[in-house]
Amino acid sequence: MLITTTNTIEGRDLDYKGLVTGEAILGANLFKDIFAGIRDIVGGRSGAYEQELAKARQIALDEMSARAQALGGNAVIGVDLDYETVGQNGSMLMVSATGTAVVVR
């Protein structure tokens, strides 16, 4: 499955299938710790949190790809990744991937 942020694929014809999305939500404890970790503004990176965010992003992309495939697509173009806090007091983070399913010819 080809996934790209561009709206076209140079030199290829596209058959548009529709909008597709994928989402993943990470729980409260992770983000309380992330925002508490801001106290170390000049400090290093948190590998454990980065791994969790990478996992959530991959879940969202995989869901989006599966939905594109279900529509008969073999690619997703115009992909946008968003990170939003949700839940009471912003205690959870949602990663969403949105794009357009297409058949590349």
Side-chain angles (χ1 to χ4, degrees):
M1 175 76 54
L2 175 65
I3 299 174
T4 181
T5 58
T6 62
N7 292 318
T8 62
I9 300 173
E10 189 173 337
R12 305 300 290 268
D13 291 326
L14 304 178
D15 178 21
Y16 295 87
K17 297 296 181 179
L19 181 69
V20 287
T21 62
E23 299 86 20
I25 296 178
L26 299 177
N29 290 338
L30 175 67
F31 281 92
K32 283 184 181 176
D33 291 344
I34 284 177
F35 292 120
I38 292 177
R39 69 183 177 273
D40 294 332
I41 291 174
V42 295
R45 295 166 54 171
S46 173
Y49 294 133
E50 288 175 359
Q51 288 174 358
E52 288 301 311
L53 285 172
K55 254 195 286 190
R57 182 176 51 249
Q58 192 60 54
I59 290 167
L61 289 169
D62 289 347
E63 271 188 20
M64 181 187 66
S65 295
R67 290 178 177 150
Q69 193 169 25
L71 291 175
N74 62 1
V76 182
I77 62 171
V79 173
D80 179 51
L81 291 169
D82 289 313
Y83 300 84
E84 298 286 335
T85 55
V86 296
Q88 200 169 35
N89 300 321
S91 60
M92 299 169 66
L93 179 80
M94 179 176 72
V95 179
S96 63
T98 305
T100 302
V102 297
V103 173
V104 179
R105 301 188 194 282

